[in-house]
Amino acid sequence: MTTIPVLDGREIPPETRLQEIMSRLTALAPGESLVLVAPHDPGKLLRMLLAQLPNRLMWGPLAKGPDAWRWQFVGREPAPRTVCDYLIWDHRRMEEILADALALAQAGNWQEAQARFAEHAVALTHHAFIEDEVLFPAYDEATGNLPDGPTALMMQEHHDVRAGIERIARAAKQRDLEELEDAHDALVDVAAEHHAKEEEILFPGIDETFPQPQLAELVEKLMLA
Ligand SMILES: [Fe+2]
Ligand SMILES: [Fe+2]
């Protein structure tokens, strides 16, 4: 089970909140994680982090409102980010969340399992969204919008991924462990095949297509989307 320290920004007085959040995020060592809880979309903070802690962090959402926004951060060695760096890290992050969620359900801890599956759904839905809306259009444009380019298939596979997430959510809601395990295994199969194509072919191709600093700018767009 992965337990990540949580910093709840809602519990910090407004006059010291930003300072405390920045100092906790600045202190993250490479590979060290922190979950930040905020009462609103953290977009402004994320833009500030890109400017003030360049290349020092990766992040992705676990909840996007309406009452709380939870974002997972991890420290990294400062070096320009590539698409491989960012999105492969996010693939591994989502796999960990999904494995945790299933283990919670198998232990009979249904309430926490449902919450963890919901975090996985937010993370994976967001991930597919930034690929569909930011990454693939940028790559298609840079490569001349080839009619048989690889991104159309990836977008199509995202439909299967979203259907898999919905099946899991239904089974978790009904507390039907057998159906949940089947739904989990089916999504793991679909995602593993999809991620392998992205990680072995598409993302390295995108990293080669864009020279720095355009590549770093593209990754920053993904991180702010
Ligand atoms: Fe994808
Ligand atoms: Fe992906």
Side-chain angles (χ1 to χ4, degrees):
M1 191 69 51
T2 317
T3 307
I4 300 175
V6 175
L7 178 63
D8 193 334
R10 298 169 303 181
E11 293 170 359
I12 309 171
E15 55 275 20
T16 55
R17 186 181 297 147
L18 184 59
Q19 198 184 0
E20 166 130 16
I21 290 170
M22 289 302 282
S23 86
R24 286 287 296 274
L25 292 172
T26 304
L28 284 181
E32 192 183 356
S33 292
L34 178 73
V35 171
L36 176 67
V37 186
H40 51 70
D41 188 311
K44 200 170 152 195
L45 173 70
L46 301 182
R47 284 192 293 282
M48 193 186 295
L49 290 170
L50 286 180
Q52 295 189 12
L53 295 177
N55 296 317
R56 278 274 293 104
L57 298 167
M58 303 278 217
W59 58 67
L62 294 168
K64 294 166 89 175
D67 301 320
W69 277 254
R70 284 200 310 284
W71 240 254
Q72 182 176 347
F73 293 85
V74 65
R76 71 189 290 272
E77 296 288 356
R81 302 180 193 84
T82 63
V83 168
C84 281
D85 288 338
Y86 181 46
L87 293 180
I88 295 176
W89 167 75
D90 207 33
H91 288 170
R92 299 293 91 78
R93 176 177 86 98
M94 295 184 295
E95 287 162 10
E96 273 182 30
I97 300 169
L98 187 60
D100 277 358
L102 183 68
L104 286 164
Q106 286 168 331
N109 194 343
W110 281 102
Q111 213 168 346
E112 280 189 42
Q114 285 163 356
R116 202 74 176 129
F117 280 120
E119 290 184 338
H120 174 262
V122 167
L124 189 46
T125 304
H126 179 83
H127 181 101
F129 170 80
I130 64 176
E131 288 178 348
D132 286 350
E133 299 296 324
V134 180
L135 182 67
F136 298 161
Y139 179 66
D140 287 342
E141 197 187 330
T143 52
N145 291 307
L146 299 172
D148 54 354
T151 56
L153 174 64
M154 294 296 104
M155 288 171 93
Q156 212 177 314
E157 289 182 1
H158 286 168
H159 292 296
D160 300 335
V161 167
R162 290 189 194 94
I165 293 171
E166 282 168 22
R167 185 180 164 200
I168 283 183
R170 273 195 305 275
K173 195 174 169 199
Q174 289 161 359
R175 304 190 174 198
D176 179 342
L177 186 58
E178 199 177 325
E179 163 62 8
L180 181 65
E181 286 175 333
D182 282 351
H184 166 274
D185 293 351
L187 180 62
V188 165
D189 286 348
V190 166
E193 206 179 304
H194 177 77
H195 290 166
K197 284 180 218 162
E198 289 181 338
E199 293 178 18
E200 288 161 24
I201 302 165
L202 184 58
F203 295 166
I206 296 174
D207 283 343
E208 275 175 24
T209 298
F210 293 90
Q212 291 289 7
Q214 287 92 324
L215 183 61
E217 282 167 20
L218 175 59
V219 177
E220 291 193 355
K221 270 190 202 162
L222 293 168
M223 294 180 76
L224 292 176

